[in-house]
Amino acid sequence: MKPEERIIVALDVPDEQSAIALVDQLPQVGFWKVGLELFTSTGPRILELLKSRNKRIFLDLKFDDIPNTVAGACRSAARYGVDLLTIHTTCGRDALKAATEAAQSGAAQVGLKPPKLIAITLLTSISARQLAFDLKIPLELPEYILEMALLAKETGVDGAVCSPQEVAQLRDTCGNDFLLVCPGVRPIWADMGDQKRSLTPAQAMQAGADYLVIGRPITAASDPGLAWQSISEELTAIA
């Protein structure tokens, strides 16, 4: 892939009108993330609109429920023809296995390629202190994330979402066939926002990330097209 094809731009807007305006403003972007806010507002219509423009889709709904429920959700989502789909590793081994099988069967029912199922290891807004004191997890943060990624790999999940700071360790342990998707990426000129474990786009890619999910540094910029170009050039320089 070309470096710019590894950037997934987060379509974190509240409604269809805002989403389409942003997509039209950035025609050079080929891969968009649709999250909870937008999907709850528009339903699958936003996916249909993106597909009609030949865009790739990262459907980031972070399913987390009992095995039967997440299987049903993944089966339905796979019928939309999305490229990436997220599920929390905390739903457990049985649910992860069920989700993987359901995504494949759902896509097969409508003659589509199944989405890559991507496991959430730990939200990038959570710090090591919060993991220990708020969530009461006794493991160190890197160890916890590694255990979650290994669980995902063992159950047939295609990859994991992790912060850029964990990419190198997961790449070394999980291998080159395990997709690593990194949100929380921030160019050196961008505000950190609510991200606690961030790196620059170039640093994340050099560490072994397959895809970078970037939202506000592009979408909230005074000139989104210029911000996109700047990040693309940063990645091209290290390719």
Side-chain angles (χ1 to χ4, degrees):
M1 291 184 294
K2 297 178 181 178
E4 62 268 23
E5 293 175 348
R6 295 173 178 250
I7 303 172
I8 303 173
V9 178
L11 204 51
D12 292 338
V13 292
D15 53 54
E16 180 182 313
Q17 182 178 1
S18 301
I20 296 305
L22 193 54
V23 172
D24 288 343
Q25 188 179 8
L26 290 166
Q28 63 271 56
V29 175
F31 210 150
W32 291 93
K33 188 201 83 166
V34 174
L36 282 169
E37 180 181 16
L38 183 58
F39 191 80
T40 301
S41 172
T42 69
R45 177 171 166 76
I46 187 61
L47 307 181
E48 296 167 1
L49 289 168
L50 289 171
K51 294 287 285 185
S52 72
R53 287 165 167 76
N54 296 315
K55 305 299 184 182
R56 300 180 70 195
I57 302 170
F58 174 23
L59 185 57
D60 186 25
L61 301 184
K62 300 181 176 71
F63 297 136
D64 190 1
D65 215 308
I66 63 173
N68 186 64
T69 300
V70 294
C74 289
R75 187 177 298 109
S76 295
R79 298 184 185 124
Y80 295 140
V82 300
D83 299 274
L84 302 178
L85 179 65
T86 50
I87 181 171
H88 273 284
T89 51
T90 50
C91 65
R93 184 179 299 274
D94 291 344
L96 292 170
K97 288 181 177 179
T100 301
E101 295 168 359
Q104 293 172 351
S105 67
Q109 288 170 1
V110 291
L112 294 174
K113 182 180 178 180
K116 298 291 186 181
L117 196 62
I118 308 296
I120 304 295
T121 54
L122 184 70
L123 298 176
T124 54
S125 60
I126 295 177
S127 66
R129 180 178 176 82
Q130 290 169 320
L131 182 71
F133 290 95
D134 296 342
L135 301 184
K136 311 301 181 186
I137 302 296
L139 301 177
E140 293 293 328
L141 188 146
E143 183 183 358
Y144 176 78
I145 289 173
L146 178 59
E147 291 297 333
M148 293 298 99
L150 289 173
L151 174 61
K153 184 176 175 65
E154 290 168 6
T155 54
V157 174
D158 298 292
V161 174
C162 63
S163 93
Q165 294 185 7
E166 291 92 47
V167 170
Q169 179 189 30
L170 297 192
R171 178 61 69 214
D172 287 343
T173 306
C174 297
N176 291 330
D177 293 333
F178 194 68
L179 287 176
L180 295 177
V181 180
C182 290
V185 175
R186 289 289 184 269
I188 196 168
W189 41 262
D191 181 75
M192 289 297 292
D194 53 7
Q195 301 300 333
K196 302 288 175 52
R197 309 191 318 276
S198 184
L199 291 177
T200 68
Q203 289 170 333
M205 197 66 73
Q206 288 173 323
D210 291 294
Y211 292 105
L212 310 179
V213 182
I214 306 176
R216 283 166 287 183
I218 294 173
T219 60
S222 57
D223 186 336
L226 184 61
W228 160 269
Q229 181 180 347
S230 176
I231 295 172
S232 296
E233 290 174 353
E234 177 182 337
L235 298 182
T236 300
I238 64 167

PDB file of all heavy atoms in Angstrom, residues 25-40:
ATOM      1  N   GLN A  25     -15.228  17.194   1.082  1.00  0.00           N
ATOM      2  CA  GLN A  25     -14.125  18.131   1.259  1.00  0.00           C
ATOM      3  C   GLN A  25     -12.769  17.453   1.120  1.00  0.00           C
ATOM      4  O   GLN A  25     -11.774  18.102   0.780  1.00  0.00           O
ATOM      5  CB  GLN A  25     -14.240  18.799   2.634  1.00  0.00           C
ATOM      6  CG  GLN A  25     -13.267  19.940   2.874  1.00  0.00           C
ATOM      7  CD  GLN A  25     -13.458  20.578   4.234  1.00  0.00           C
ATOM      8  OE1 GLN A  25     -14.203  20.098   5.074  1.00  0.00           O
ATOM      9  NE2 GLN A  25     -12.766  21.703   4.455  1.00  0.00           N
ATOM     10  N   LEU A  26     -12.736  16.126   1.382  1.00  0.00           N
ATOM     11  CA  LEU A  26     -11.485  15.368   1.340  1.00  0.00           C
ATOM     12  C   LEU A  26     -11.617  14.192   0.361  1.00  0.00           C
ATOM     13  O   LEU A  26     -11.575  13.030   0.759  1.00  0.00           O
ATOM     14  CB  LEU A  26     -11.138  14.855   2.734  1.00  0.00           C
ATOM     15  CG  LEU A  26     -10.712  15.919   3.758  1.00  0.00           C
ATOM     16  CD1 LEU A  26     -10.741  15.346   5.162  1.00  0.00           C
ATOM     17  CD2 LEU A  26      -9.324  16.461   3.418  1.00  0.00           C
ATOM     18  N   PRO A  27     -11.765  14.466  -0.925  1.00  0.00           N
ATOM     19  CA  PRO A  27     -11.955  13.385  -1.901  1.00  0.00           C
ATOM     20  C   PRO A  27     -10.757  12.459  -2.007  1.00  0.00           C
ATOM     21  O   PRO A  27     -10.883  11.320  -2.462  1.00  0.00           O
ATOM     22  CB  PRO A  27     -12.194  14.143  -3.219  1.00  0.00           C
ATOM     23  CG  PRO A  27     -11.519  15.463  -3.018  1.00  0.00           C
ATOM     24  CD  PRO A  27     -11.726  15.792  -1.572  1.00  0.00           C
ATOM     25  N   GLN A  28      -9.574  12.934  -1.575  1.00  0.00           N
ATOM     26  CA  GLN A  28      -8.368  12.116  -1.660  1.00  0.00           C
ATOM     27  C   GLN A  28      -8.327  11.021  -0.604  1.00  0.00           C
ATOM     28  O   GLN A  28      -7.518  10.087  -0.703  1.00  0.00           O
ATOM     29  CB  GLN A  28      -7.119  12.993  -1.553  1.00  0.00           C
ATOM     30  CG  GLN A  28      -6.956  13.736  -0.224  1.00  0.00           C
ATOM     31  CD  GLN A  28      -7.614  15.101  -0.210  1.00  0.00           C
ATOM     32  OE1 GLN A  28      -8.797  15.210  -0.461  1.00  0.00           O
ATOM     33  NE2 GLN A  28      -6.825  16.141   0.082  1.00  0.00           N
ATOM     34  N   VAL A  29      -9.176  11.099   0.417  1.00  0.00           N
ATOM     35  CA  VAL A  29      -9.212  10.080   1.471  1.00  0.00           C
ATOM     36  C   VAL A  29      -9.991   8.863   0.977  1.00  0.00           C
ATOM     37  O   VAL A  29     -11.150   8.984   0.555  1.00  0.00           O
ATOM     38  CB  VAL A  29      -9.860  10.646   2.756  1.00  0.00           C
ATOM     39  CG1 VAL A  29     -10.001   9.542   3.808  1.00  0.00           C
ATOM     40  CG2 VAL A  29      -9.030  11.796   3.305  1.00  0.00           C
ATOM     41  N   GLY A  30      -9.361   7.693   1.052  1.00  0.00           N
ATOM     42  CA  GLY A  30     -10.008   6.485   0.553  1.00  0.00           C
ATOM     43  C   GLY A  30     -10.554   5.573   1.634  1.00  0.00           C
ATOM     44  O   GLY A  30     -11.260   4.605   1.336  1.00  0.00           O
ATOM     45  N   PHE A  31     -10.220   5.852   2.904  1.00  0.00           N
ATOM     46  CA  PHE A  31     -10.588   4.947   3.996  1.00  0.00           C
ATOM     47  C   PHE A  31     -11.137   5.794   5.148  1.00  0.00           C
ATOM     48  O   PHE A  31     -10.438   6.661   5.679  1.00  0.00           O
ATOM     49  CB  PHE A  31      -9.346   4.169   4.453  1.00  0.00           C
ATOM     50  CG  PHE A  31      -9.616   2.791   4.999  1.00  0.00           C
ATOM     51  CD1 PHE A  31      -8.661   1.790   4.873  1.00  0.00           C
ATOM     52  CD2 PHE A  31     -10.806   2.473   5.648  1.00  0.00           C
ATOM     53  CE1 PHE A  31      -8.877   0.508   5.369  1.00  0.00           C
ATOM     54  CE2 PHE A  31     -11.034   1.208   6.148  1.00  0.00           C
ATOM     55  CZ  PHE A  31     -10.076   0.219   6.004  1.00  0.00           C
ATOM     56  N   TRP A  32     -12.384   5.524   5.543  1.00  0.00           N
ATOM     57  CA  TRP A  32     -13.045   6.304   6.595  1.00  0.00           C
ATOM     58  C   TRP A  32     -13.485   5.418   7.751  1.00  0.00           C
ATOM     59  O   TRP A  32     -13.923   4.289   7.543  1.00  0.00           O
ATOM     60  CB  TRP A  32     -14.265   7.022   6.028  1.00  0.00           C
ATOM     61  CG  TRP A  32     -13.947   8.118   5.063  1.00  0.00           C
ATOM     62  CD1 TRP A  32     -13.861   8.011   3.703  1.00  0.00           C
ATOM     63  CD2 TRP A  32     -13.679   9.485   5.374  1.00  0.00           C
ATOM     64  NE1 TRP A  32     -13.552   9.223   3.148  1.00  0.00           N
ATOM     65  CE2 TRP A  32     -13.434  10.155   4.145  1.00  0.00           C
ATOM     66  CE3 TRP A  32     -13.622  10.217   6.561  1.00  0.00           C
ATOM     67  CZ2 TRP A  32     -13.147  11.512   4.080  1.00  0.00           C
ATOM     68  CZ3 TRP A  32     -13.331  11.574   6.496  1.00  0.00           C
ATOM     69  CH2 TRP A  32     -13.095  12.210   5.264  1.00  0.00           C
ATOM     70  N   LYS A  33     -13.387   5.970   8.946  1.00  0.00           N
ATOM     71  CA  LYS A  33     -13.894   5.278  10.137  1.00  0.00           C
ATOM     72  C   LYS A  33     -15.268   5.816  10.498  1.00  0.00           C
ATOM     73  O   LYS A  33     -15.474   7.022  10.616  1.00  0.00           O
ATOM     74  CB  LYS A  33     -12.964   5.489  11.330  1.00  0.00           C
ATOM     75  CG  LYS A  33     -13.352   4.638  12.542  1.00  0.00           C
ATOM     76  CD  LYS A  33     -12.799   5.178  13.849  1.00  0.00           C
ATOM     77  CE  LYS A  33     -13.678   6.275  14.403  1.00  0.00           C
ATOM     78  NZ  LYS A  33     -13.382   6.624  15.812  1.00  0.00           N
ATOM     79  N   VAL A  34     -16.219   4.897  10.676  1.00  0.00           N
ATOM     80  CA  VAL A  34     -17.555   5.248  11.162  1.00  0.00           C
ATOM     81  C   VAL A  34     -17.689   4.676  12.565  1.00  0.00           C
ATOM     82  O   VAL A  34     -17.580   3.460  12.765  1.00  0.00           O
ATOM     83  CB  VAL A  34     -18.654   4.681  10.244  1.00  0.00           C
ATOM     84  CG1 VAL A  34     -20.037   4.932  10.851  1.00  0.00           C
ATOM     85  CG2 VAL A  34     -18.560   5.294   8.853  1.00  0.00           C
ATOM     86  N   GLY A  35     -17.911   5.557  13.537  1.00  0.00           N
ATOM     87  CA  GLY A  35     -18.003   5.129  14.923  1.00  0.00           C
ATOM     88  C   GLY A  35     -19.415   5.172  15.469  1.00  0.00           C
ATOM     89  O   GLY A  35     -20.396   5.328  14.728  1.00  0.00           O
ATOM     90  N   LEU A  36     -19.497   5.058  16.775  1.00  0.00           N
ATOM     91  CA  LEU A  36     -20.797   4.949  17.445  1.00  0.00           C
ATOM     92  C   LEU A  36     -21.700   6.152  17.221  1.00  0.00           C
ATOM     93  O   LEU A  36     -22.900   5.995  16.968  1.00  0.00           O
ATOM     94  CB  LEU A  36     -20.579   4.746  18.950  1.00  0.00           C
ATOM     95  CG  LEU A  36     -20.195   3.342  19.411  1.00  0.00           C
ATOM     96  CD1 LEU A  36     -19.766   3.376  20.874  1.00  0.00           C
ATOM     97  CD2 LEU A  36     -21.370   2.389  19.234  1.00  0.00           C
ATOM     98  N   GLU A  37     -21.143   7.351  17.340  1.00  0.00           N
ATOM     99  CA  GLU A  37     -21.981   8.546  17.241  1.00  0.00           C
ATOM    100  C   GLU A  37     -22.656   8.643  15.883  1.00  0.00           C
ATOM    101  O   GLU A  37     -23.880   8.810  15.790  1.00  0.00           O
ATOM    102  CB  GLU A  37     -21.150   9.797  17.497  1.00  0.00           C
ATOM    103  CG  GLU A  37     -21.954  11.081  17.417  1.00  0.00           C
ATOM    104  CD  GLU A  37     -21.124  12.336  17.641  1.00  0.00           C
ATOM    105  OE1 GLU A  37     -19.876  12.249  17.552  1.00  0.00           O
ATOM    106  OE2 GLU A  37     -21.711  13.406  17.896  1.00  0.00           O
ATOM    107  N   LEU A  38     -21.874   8.518  14.822  1.00  0.00           N
ATOM    108  CA  LEU A  38     -22.422   8.679  13.474  1.00  0.00           C
ATOM    109  C   LEU A  38     -23.340   7.522  13.108  1.00  0.00           C
ATOM    110  O   LEU A  38     -24.418   7.726  12.526  1.00  0.00           O
ATOM    111  CB  LEU A  38     -21.288   8.818  12.463  1.00  0.00           C
ATOM    112  CG  LEU A  38     -21.706   9.070  11.008  1.00  0.00           C
ATOM    113  CD1 LEU A  38     -22.556  10.323  10.889  1.00  0.00           C
ATOM    114  CD2 LEU A  38     -20.479   9.165  10.103  1.00  0.00           C
ATOM    115  N   PHE A  39     -22.941   6.289  13.441  1.00  0.00           N
ATOM    116  CA  PHE A  39     -23.775   5.149  13.080  1.00  0.00           C
ATOM    117  C   PHE A  39     -25.103   5.176  13.837  1.00  0.00           C
ATOM    118  O   PHE A  39     -26.147   4.827  13.291  1.00  0.00           O
ATOM    119  CB  PHE A  39     -23.045   3.835  13.359  1.00  0.00           C
ATOM    120  CG  PHE A  39     -23.739   2.627  12.780  1.00  0.00           C
ATOM    121  CD1 PHE A  39     -23.596   2.308  11.442  1.00  0.00           C
ATOM    122  CD2 PHE A  39     -24.540   1.829  13.570  1.00  0.00           C
ATOM    123  CE1 PHE A  39     -24.243   1.211  10.895  1.00  0.00           C
ATOM    124  CE2 PHE A  39     -25.193   0.732  13.037  1.00  0.00           C
ATOM    125  CZ  PHE A  39     -25.043   0.414  11.689  1.00  0.00           C
ATOM    126  N   THR A  40     -25.070   5.600  15.091  1.00  0.00           N
ATOM    127  CA  THR A  40     -26.311   5.700  15.862  1.00  0.00           C
ATOM    128  C   THR A  40     -27.225   6.758  15.261  1.00  0.00           C
ATOM    129  O   THR A  40     -28.448   6.615  15.267  1.00  0.00           O
ATOM    130  CB  THR A  40     -26.001   6.041  17.329  1.00  0.00           C
ATOM    131  OG1 THR A  40     -25.169   5.013  17.882  1.00  0.00           O
ATOM    132  CG2 THR A  40     -27.274   6.123  18.157  1.00  0.00           C
TER     133      THR A  40
END
